[in-house]
Each structure stands twice: as structure tokens, then as C-alpha cells.
Amino acid sequence: MANDAGTVFDLVILGGGSGGYAAALRGAQLGLDVALIEKNKLGGTCLHNGCIPTKALLHAGEIADQARESEQFGIKATFDGVDMAGVHKYKDDVIAGLYKGLQGLVASRKVTYIEGEGKLSSPTSVDVNGQRVQGRHVLLATGSVPKSLPGLEIDGNRIISSDHALTLDRVPKSAIVLGGGVIGVEFASAWKSFGTDVTIVEGLKHLVPVEDENSSKLLERAFRKRGIGFSLGAFFEKAEYTNDGVKVTLANGKEFEAELLLVAIGRGPVSQGLGYEEQGVAMDRGFVLVDEYMQTNVATISAVGDLVPTLQLAHVGFAEGMLVAERLAGLKTVPVDYDGVPRVTYCHPEVASVGITEAKAKEVYGADKVVALKYNLAGNGKSKILKTAGEIKLVQVKDGAVVGVHMVGDRMGEQVGEAQLIYNWEALPAEVAQLIHAHPTQNEAMGEAHLALAGKPLHSHD
């Protein structure tokens, strides 16, 4: 169909990652004639270089830790080391199964899939493989790539990105992780589980600095206990090769040496050389600017995912892509409430949150209008069984709704679904306290925290 000069699609999508393929699937479901263009593999960063492979590595690391620590549960097991070839086979098998399923899904929805490197050629067309693909509307969803710093060259040898780290054929003896955000702490956690001596360098004053400060402090305490080193509050200055590794120097003069340096300072948008600016699309620092309905300043062009300056999360891309498809199909759409999006960092222990931090709540509502409560997982039976420590922290507008839920502990990512409902439905603590949570589960801790906030604590101190 792309070769037929007379074909005009309802929607042409440039980029087959989370945002792009979600828009394609939803658009086709709603009767739109959709073309989806992708230069690499359908599924994009999340499936092939992000969410899925990193979580597979983290789970493999969890298994290694369980083998080492099995005796504390009365189980005699031996840990003989990490077989990276085997770990990669496990990881790649997970990816392959999901990739095959996604390809089948796109085909079943009768989306026209075009493999090739596309470029925006007009407000209503994309050029790919020497052909022009016309559409009534174009969706830009070209994603992101790992960022670096001026003067810091990622060479794939001793100075690597997360892409390189996902295919590393060995367990490094030591590593410096530049960046204490989600990507940095997840790789630090996985590598530590595999046996690497890890140090994180973060220029801001806390790990996972966008989270509630209490969550950051709990994670730092847990990482100290695990033997993961970190340097906070001093920015990177330079990196240089040594005889057998890399030396990193910070602005305060501190130096760290290791076998590898992982640059994990975030991801930047893929937008250069793709024709966006030439077609008049408004940009800022490489990001495409959009309104709350993901519409650019050009009437026939929308943009979603990591390409726009919203949360760089796959599930945000899904939501944004579906929003665009539904808008184009004429349905009533509701903008994404980004504060209401669940966020999870899958290190050990996990950090999960939804809503706003206590500091932000005080800024918005006033310090005297904000109530915060911490429920320690030590009071939760299932957490004791799992031997995990941490807290659930609730942030409430006084006599009003819960506006923030912040959790640290193993498997807390599995509790964020209920937290999302509590925030997005503006639930009062007393309303959540009425719900009966199964015992013994970690989910029960959510109920206990709200019981306490409602003034009737059960398994927690007044």
C-alpha cells in the first residue's frame, strides 16, 4: 500500500515503540487506516533496550541473591556464579516471545507496517525507502537514546551506555555508575547482585532525586546495607582511561576508579535530521512541543512518548498514543494527569510512587494543610516473611484526599496499582480504610497505612 501513490492513510506513524504502536493498534481498532514506520524493531526501546531486558537482568540478580542467602530460610543451596551467556539467553527469550506476539498483534489489526528509516517530508507525509507515505495526520513517535555529557565519549569499551550494559558478556569486577536516577540505580542493583563492586555518582543530593525525599533516604540506607557505594552532591568533571580501567574525577576533586563507567544520566529525544523543524514543528532542546492532547503547533501533526517533554515511561507512551488515536477517531478524550501516573524503580528494594511528594504538596496546598504518615513494613506479616524492609508513606491534604503514595520495599511495584486508584479517584483515608485487604499480603500494608491515617491503626503504633 505504501508504494501506491494514490493511497492516503488516516494516520501515518513514524516510530514503532510504545507510543507509536499503541496509537497504531488503537487507531486500527477504531477503524482508522494506519501506516506504522519503524527503522529498527517493532516495540522500540522498552521491549528491546529498556524496560523488559533490564527487568530480566534484575530478576536474574534476585535469583542470585536468593541462592546466596537461602540458608537464612532454612534451605541449603550453593551459588556457583553467574553464567552471563545463560542470563542473556533467558533475557533474549523473554524479548523474543513478546516481540513475536506484538508482530502478530499489529498484523491482526491490519496495520500497514513499513520497515525503514522515515523522514517527515511535509505536514502530511513521511518519506521512507524512496517512497512517500501520505496521511491525513502524522504522529511523531521516534523515541529517545542514551545521553552523555560534553567531553564524555561513550565508546562501548570501558565507557558504556545502558544499551551496551544490556549485552555485556561478562560480570565486571567493578563499575562506576554515573547517574543516580532510575536507570543508574537499576543497573547498580543488578550488577551488585551479580557480584560487581559498584559506586554510583550522583550530582544532586539524593539517589532517585525526583522521588519523595523519604523514599530516597530509605533507598540509600538499603544500598549501604547491600554494599553499594554512592557519592552525592558533587558533579562529574572528567573521565580518563587507566592501565586497566577508568578513572572518574568529580568537581570537588574526589576520584573513583573501576573497570567500567556506565553513563546513565538519562535519555535524549531522537529528532535531529528527521525533518521536524523544516516542516515548522515547534521544538525545545530536541523535544517536540505539544499541548495536553499531544497536538503540535502544526494542525496535522501530533507527537508522543520520549520525543515529547513528559515522563519517559513506556506506559505513558501507551496512554499518549491511545489518546491521539481516539482524538483522531472523534472520541471524547481526557488529557493525561502525569501526577497520577504510577512510577516504579525496579532496584532491590523497589521504589514506587504515584501522586506528588510531601514537599510538592506543601508548596501547592501550604505546609499547615498537609499531613504525612509513614507505615513501616516491619508491621506487615508478608514483608517479614520475605525479609524486606521499607515503608509506605501517605501524603494527604488535611481532612481531604490522599495526594501522594510513596513506597520502598521488595515488590512494592506490585502495590502501585491500588495506589494509582487511591490518587486518581481522590480517595479519603477513611474510604480506603473501609476496604478489606487480604492477609497476609504486602498489599495489606496499604490498607494498614490508611487505617492509621484515618485514626484507627491496627498493626501499627499510634
Side-chain angles (χ1 to χ4, degrees):
M1 293 179 70
N3 294 329
D4 180 357
T7 300
V8 179
F9 293 92
D10 294 314
L11 177 60
V12 175
I13 303 169
L14 183 56
S18 301
Y21 83 68
L25 293 174
R26 184 63 176 135
Q29 188 179 50
L30 292 170
L32 300 180
D33 192 7
V34 180
L36 178 61
I37 300 166
E38 170 56 49
K39 69 176 182 178
N40 290 320
K41 289 184 176 180
L42 183 63
T45 294
C46 174
L47 178 54
H48 300 285
N49 300 99
C51 321
I52 299 302
T54 54
K55 279 51 176 182
L57 290 185
L58 283 158
H59 184 62
E62 182 183 359
I63 299 300
D65 286 332
Q66 288 176 345
R68 288 190 195 95
E69 299 162 5
S70 65
E71 206 159 321
Q72 65 178 308
F73 301 99
I75 304 298
K76 294 187 181 295
T78 57
F79 176 70
D80 297 327
V82 177
D83 170 16
M84 282 311 298
V87 169
H88 286 311
K89 183 184 184 305
Y90 151 66
K91 166 180 67 72
D92 294 342
D93 284 350
V94 171
I95 294 169
L98 291 170
Y99 180 42
K100 184 177 180 181
L102 181 57
Q103 288 174 306
L105 192 56
V106 167
S108 73
R109 297 275 175 93
K110 296 182 171 51
V111 171
T112 299
Y113 182 68
I114 304 166
E115 192 171 316
E117 187 166 354
K119 181 176 180 178
L120 187 67
S121 51
S122 81
T124 56
S125 66
V126 173
D127 288 356
V128 58
N129 301 335
Q131 302 292 326
R132 178 153 294 180
V133 184
Q134 298 277 357
R136 295 179 180 85
H137 201 91
V138 175
L139 175 61
L140 308 178
T142 43
S144 64
V145 289
K147 289 195 300 187
S148 189
L149 295 170
L152 179 58
E153 182 187 352
I154 297 175
D155 58 20
N157 183 11
R158 299 184 197 176
I159 302 176
I160 65 174
S161 72
S162 56
D163 288 351
H164 301 118
L166 286 170
T167 58
L168 204 61
D169 62 359
R170 67 191 188 283
V171 176
K173 291 180 180 177
S174 58
I176 299 164
V177 177
L178 180 58
V182 173
I183 298 170
V185 300
E186 287 189 351
F187 273 102
S189 183
W191 275 345
K192 181 63 181 179
S193 296
F194 289 157
T196 303
D197 181 10
V198 184
T199 301
I200 304 170
V201 172
E202 171 55 57
L204 300 177
K205 64 180 183 179
H206 286 296
L207 298 179
V208 288
V210 300
E211 295 290 344
D212 190 271
E213 188 172 324
N214 185 66
S215 294
S216 295
K217 288 179 177 178
L218 288 169
L219 180 63
E220 289 159 15
R221 184 189 307 167
F223 272 18
R224 284 190 199 99
K225 191 173 180 181
R226 290 187 63 195
I228 298 174
F230 49 88
S231 169
L232 304 172
F235 286 96
F236 170 87
E237 188 170 271
K238 65 178 180 178
E240 52 197 325
Y241 271 25
T242 62
N243 288 336
D244 54 0
V246 182
K247 180 168 74 173
V248 169
T249 304
L250 305 187
N252 64 1
K254 277 189 179 179
E255 296 179 344
F256 300 92
E257 292 193 31
E259 180 185 329
L260 290 177
L261 168 62
L262 170 62
V263 181
I265 59 168
R267 299 179 65 86
V270 175
S271 58
Q272 192 171 5
L274 295 177
Y276 299 170
E277 290 172 301
E278 291 89 332
Q279 300 306 323
V281 176
M283 312 274 289
D284 180 31
R285 296 168 296 122
F287 289 102
V288 172
L289 299 179
V290 293
D291 66 12
E292 60 185 350
Y293 294 99
M294 316 316 295
Q295 174 74 56
T296 71
N297 62 310
V298 179
T300 54
I301 300 175
S302 296
V304 297
D306 289 0
L307 181 62
V308 301
T310 57
L311 293 171
Q312 290 186 328
L313 298 169
H315 45 289
V316 167
F318 295 150
E320 291 173 344
M322 292 173 68
L323 188 155
V324 170
E326 291 176 0
R327 172 167 59 79
L328 295 178
L331 302 184
K332 183 180 178 181
T333 55
V334 178
V336 176
D337 174 5
Y338 292 99
D339 287 336
V341 170
R343 306 170 294 271
V344 186
T345 304
Y346 295 87
C347 50
H348 167 50
E350 291 181 351
V351 181
S353 63
V354 68
I356 59 178
T357 64
E358 182 180 0
K360 181 67 175 178
K362 288 179 176 178
E363 181 185 317
V364 172
Y365 300 104
D368 60 331
K369 301 291 186 184
V370 174
V371 177
L373 177 135
K374 300 174 187 176
Y375 178 80
N376 196 308
L377 293 183
N380 177 255
K382 187 61 179 287
S383 295
K384 290 289 258 187
I385 291 167
L386 295 172
K387 289 187 178 287
T388 186
E391 289 179 354
I392 292 179
K393 176 179 176 178
L394 305 179
V395 180
Q396 177 200 14
V397 178
K398 194 172 184 180
D399 299 323
V402 173
V403 295
V405 181
H406 306 278
M407 303 176 282
V408 177
D410 287 344
R411 305 187 186 180
M412 285 297 106
E414 302 301 326
Q415 311 313 317
V416 83
E418 184 179 7
Q420 178 186 211
L421 295 178
I422 290 166
Y423 170 85
N424 284 291
W425 285 347
E426 300 177 352
L428 301 175
E431 292 172 329
V432 182
Q434 288 179 336
L435 304 175
I436 299 172
H437 293 75
H439 174 78
T441 61
Q442 284 187 289
N443 181 238
E444 186 181 14
M446 185 72 72
E448 293 271 3
H450 283 83
L451 279 167
L453 191 56
K456 49 180 183 181
L458 187 58
H459 297 102
S460 60
H461 296 286
D462 294 334

